[in-house]
Amino acid sequence: MITYHLSYTNPLSHYLDITLTIADNTATEVYLQLPAWRPGRYELQHFAQKLRAVTASANGQRINISKVTKDRWLVQANGADTLEVKYSFFARQMDAGGSWLDEELLYVNPINCLMAVEGREHEPYFLKLDIPESWQIACGLPEVDAHTLQAENFDELADSPFISSPSLSKETYTINGINFHVWIQGDCQPNWERIKHDFAAFTKEQLEVFGDFPVTDYHYLNLILPYRTYHGVEHGNSTVITLGPGELLMAPSLYKEFLGVSSHELFHTWNIKKIRPAEMMPYNFAQENYFKTGYVAEGITTYYGDYMLARSGVLTAQQYFDELNTTLQRYFADYSRNNLSVADSSFDLWLDGYKPGTPDRKVSIYIKGALTALLLDLQLRQKTKHKASLDTIMRLLWQRFGVTGKGYTEADYAQLVDEVAGTSFNSYFENYINGTAPIEKALDEALYFVGCTLKTTENPIINEGKYGFKVTSEGTAKVTAVAPDSPVSSILSIDDELIALNGRKIDNNLQHLLALQPQKVELMLFRERQLRSINLQPDGNLYYSKYTIEKLADATEEQKQSFKLWLKQEF
């Protein structure tokens, strides 16, 4: 039996004391592996940097434990029946993938801090929490004894975050005999009836897509915080969501985010937790797990997160379009779409996928993936006259790969699309998945099938739309982006500090000065602390254009019917 005991002496030190007890040992040498990354964020996070004072003992005597890599240890067990490994973990990362300890809350993602016993990962694992008797535990694992959780194996343990506190609240809704528990920790005033109604609506819609549910019950673990934040991470039968500020939870803007992230994470219960790339079957927590199908795992999930809200009637069509338009603005906010495909950007997640990186280098698999999912859904509907759609693809992925536990490959996915479409979709994959072809024309044509259009308008921010450069919105006007081949691409650099335009000091007034439409535009700036002067001259082209999805004023009845079949709403 393998047991972890979690305790603490001073919660404001944020150090969580962990004792790993390994019973029934027969090995001379025991290797322990702490994960280096967590599913849902495909980058090495090196959790071992938060550990201190790692020791080992057997029969009350210290035994040798040494590091063999940055996050792997060797215990000289010499066949001792029971081993104890002790260490402390710094729990002070408040987001959906972190862990946190203070006097009012213990929140842990076990993958951050619990070592796996190599060779015994498939045994049951127990987690004992030394917490006040009155504290509740919100977790997807069963509580087999007071404050004791049990996992079938290490993977389940690592994938089962928990929140423990004296102030948890919970409501439950039931769909198709499955209980969905909504836990809330934090200072807020939830409208439970509205929450349960809306959550039940999008849950029912998702269940209709796949036909059944991978697990017997589900837990939304919500940490509602007193400051602006937004983050969600998927798990086997739960999700952790951090959201704030709490006083605005039911306000339209934040509540919409609450619904969106909850719908997104629920869809992951099928798509990535069960329908998983072959490269991650099984997960290898010690190193990178490179894969190119992030456009399926994250892109399709991003598309369905809001799409399910619209199809279930939780969002109106216009509210859904607002979300799509935000996705479009993020996609066209730079020119990375011309330089790296969404498939290659997926592979490079492990390199720089979660930071801005160098200018215009890569696309977001979430954003480009969502747009290519929208395109595929509409093209399939048009090609098959609504007999098939992306729903069909997802259900078959679930039946053939999710249910069977077999990982899918890029080729598996492409072949499945061809099968469902009844024709080759090779150009779709060549142009928009593995290539960098512009998506605008294809997307506009697909939207036309459902009575909509992709509208392009000039960027109203003059320096962006007319000249092709972006600056910081507040404080010193620093250049943050320069459009390739724009009028300023050879005379402006990122981090240039703009100080004057035609002799006028730039002080949050750049737009006002450019709006005067001066015949000559002379910019004074500092570059690497040296004063420079340049002249701006527009070339008549438009940069950083704005894109929106809108309904056609003259849509036909056939288009309106296609719209209804797609969105389950009247045109």
Side-chain angles (χ1 to χ4, degrees):
M1 186 169 72
I2 298 173
T3 304
Y4 302 88
H5 181 268
L6 274 57
S7 63
Y8 54 87
T9 52
N10 177 10
L12 294 184
S13 74
H14 308 289
Y15 271 105
L16 185 62
D17 298 323
I18 299 173
T19 300
L20 164 59
T21 302
I22 306 169
D24 305 318
N25 175 62
T26 58
T28 300
E29 295 182 334
V30 175
Y31 286 92
L32 307 175
Q33 176 71 57
L34 184 72
W37 65 281
R38 61 170 179 78
R41 192 173 184 93
Y42 306 104
E43 67 175 359
L44 296 180
Q45 293 187 271
H46 304 303
F47 302 124
Q49 63 189 302
K50 298 185 178 182
L51 267 57
R52 83 175 178 187
V54 181
T55 62
S57 63
N59 303 317
Q61 300 294 317
R62 291 281 291 267
I63 57 177
N64 186 61
I65 181 171
S66 58
K67 263 191 172 183
V68 292
T69 72
K70 65 184 183 306
D71 45 28
R72 188 171 182 244
W73 287 260
L74 169 60
V75 182
Q76 298 295 344
N78 298 318
D81 178 70
T82 301
L83 310 175
E84 275 196 353
V85 177
K86 295 186 176 183
Y87 54 94
S88 296
F89 171 75
F90 190 64
R92 201 175 189 279
Q93 179 182 329
M94 179 50 79
D95 60 34
S99 297
W100 184 273
L101 169 65
D102 64 24
E103 72 273 32
E104 298 176 340
L105 174 69
L106 175 59
Y107 154 54
V108 173
N109 267 282
I111 200 164
N112 295 168
C113 59
L114 300 186
M115 299 177 181
V117 182
E118 291 189 8
R120 299 182 65 176
E121 294 93 342
H122 298 292
E123 296 181 22
Y125 280 68
F126 292 86
L127 183 60
K128 294 186 177 182
L129 309 182
D130 188 356
I131 53 177
E133 185 177 346
S134 61
W135 283 27
Q136 287 182 278
I137 301 172
C139 184
L141 292 176
E143 191 170 355
V144 295
D145 202 351
H147 297 168
T148 301
L149 306 172
Q150 180 178 350
E152 292 183 4
N153 50 56
F154 182 79
D155 275 7
E156 184 180 50
L157 176 67
D159 198 33
S160 298
F162 68 85
I163 301 170
S164 182
S165 87
S167 54
L168 277 162
S169 59
K170 182 186 76 168
E171 292 283 343
T172 301
Y173 65 94
T174 304
I175 304 292
N176 296 354
I178 304 163
N179 289 328
F180 295 83
H181 308 285
V182 184
W183 296 86
I184 288 183
Q185 169 65 36
D187 186 11
C188 60
Q189 295 183 325
N191 181 335
W192 280 113
E193 290 308 309
R194 184 179 180 186
I195 290 171
K196 288 196 293 182
H197 173 273
D198 292 344
F199 275 50
F202 71 69
T203 300
K204 183 179 179 182
E205 193 67 31
Q206 293 193 21
L207 286 168
E208 289 180 1
V209 171
F210 292 99
D212 56 4
F213 197 54
V215 292
T216 56
D217 66 351
Y218 189 82
H219 299 260
Y220 299 91
L221 308 178
N222 296 291
L223 289 156
I224 308 301
L225 302 168
Y227 49 84
R228 172 65 185 165
T229 187
Y230 172 93
H231 192 209
V233 176
E234 68 275 7
H235 298 279
N237 69 340
S238 66
T239 177
V240 175
I241 292 169
T242 54
L243 195 68
E247 63 270 18
L248 298 180
L249 177 63
M250 301 309 300
S253 59
L254 192 60
Y255 184 63
K256 182 177 63 177
E257 292 190 353
F258 184 35
L259 292 170
V261 68
S262 299
S263 177
H264 176 107
E265 300 304 338
L266 181 64
F267 199 86
H268 268 315
T269 313
W270 294 275
N271 191 27
I272 197 57
K273 298 313 300 180
K274 294 296 183 180
I275 305 169
R276 196 183 304 173
E279 296 89 341
M280 296 184 180
M281 297 296 285
Y283 290 127
N284 183 342
F285 293 132
Q287 65 183 46
E288 298 94 335
N289 292 206
Y290 294 105
F291 70 116
K292 283 194 168 186
T293 50
Y295 53 89
V296 178
E298 293 294 351
I300 288 178
T301 302
T302 300
Y303 169 59
Y304 268 96
D306 290 328
Y307 181 40
M308 291 291 94
L309 297 180
R311 266 182 34 179
S312 62
V314 174
L315 293 183
T316 66
Q318 186 54 55
Q319 287 174 321
Y320 175 54
F321 281 7
D322 290 343
E323 296 304 306
L324 283 178
N325 292 339
T326 298
T327 300
L328 287 166
Q329 297 321 310
R330 292 177 65 186
Y331 179 63
F332 290 102
D334 61 28
Y335 290 85
S336 57
R337 60 189 182 274
N338 299 329
N339 298 311
L340 198 66
S341 71
V342 68
D344 288 334
S345 294
S346 176
F347 192 89
D348 274 7
L349 283 171
W350 297 94
L351 181 64
D352 61 352
Y354 298 92
K355 56 187 178 182
T358 57
D360 301 321
R361 196 191 81 80
K362 65 184 187 303
V363 294
S364 163
I365 63 168
Y366 300 84
I367 301 304
K368 177 71 178 286
L371 293 178
T372 53
L374 168 62
L375 176 62
L376 179 59
D377 191 16
L378 295 177
Q379 287 184 336
L380 286 171
R381 290 174 180 276
Q382 183 174 17
K383 185 68 68 175
T384 65
K385 295 184 169 61
H386 290 290
K387 292 179 182 177
S389 67
L390 194 52
D391 285 7
T392 316
I393 301 291
M394 296 312 299
R395 183 182 284 245
L396 289 173
L397 281 173
W398 166 238
Q399 292 170 350
R400 296 181 186 180
F401 297 96
V403 173
T404 63
K406 177 185 176 183
Y408 68 90
T409 65
E410 292 178 88
D412 290 328
Y413 179 68
Q415 289 167 8
L416 182 56
V417 171
D418 288 352
E419 175 189 331
V420 170
T423 187
S424 173
F425 261 62
N426 184 58
S427 62
Y428 166 83
F429 284 96
E430 280 190 353
N431 290 327
Y432 312 119
I433 300 300
N434 299 310
T436 59
I439 199 174
E440 298 92 298
K441 185 175 183 294
L443 191 54
D444 185 46
E445 291 173 351
L447 288 165
Y448 185 80
F449 175 66
V450 293
C452 298
T453 186
L454 183 65
K455 183 179 179 181
T456 310
T457 56
E458 181 178 350
N459 190 327
I461 302 175
I462 301 171
N463 56 280
E464 296 183 12
K466 189 174 182 179
Y467 294 99
F469 70 96
K470 296 184 176 186
V471 298
T472 49
S473 57
E474 295 182 1
T476 303
K478 275 194 172 184
V479 176
T480 57
V482 178
D485 302 320
S486 67
V488 300
S489 61
S490 61
I491 57 175
L492 272 183
S493 169
I494 55 173
D495 291 332
D496 280 355
E497 183 180 337
L498 311 184
I499 57 174
L501 188 151
N502 291 344
R504 288 282 304 276
K505 180 182 179 181
I506 296 175
D507 186 13
N508 294 321
N509 60 349
L510 180 60
Q511 294 308 302
H512 298 297
L513 296 177
L514 290 173
L516 297 174
Q517 298 183 343
Q519 292 184 348
K520 179 182 178 182
V521 179
E522 182 186 15
L523 269 180
M524 299 295 294
L525 58 92
F526 281 114
R527 179 178 300 153
E528 302 300 329
R529 301 196 177 202
Q530 292 186 335
L531 186 64
R532 304 288 179 90
S533 173
I534 63 172
N535 292 315
L536 300 187
Q537 183 65 43
D539 62 3
N541 294 319
L542 298 179
Y543 301 92
Y544 299 112
S545 296
K546 300 297 183 182
Y547 292 83
T548 54
I549 294 175
E550 299 181 6
K551 294 179 181 178
L552 292 170
D554 58 351
T556 66
E557 288 304 315
E558 185 178 2
Q559 287 173 317
K560 292 178 181 178
Q561 181 61 22
S562 289
F563 180 93
K564 185 176 181 180
L565 289 171
W566 168 53
L567 213 55
K568 291 190 176 181
Q569 295 197 28
E570 296 293 340
F571 189 83

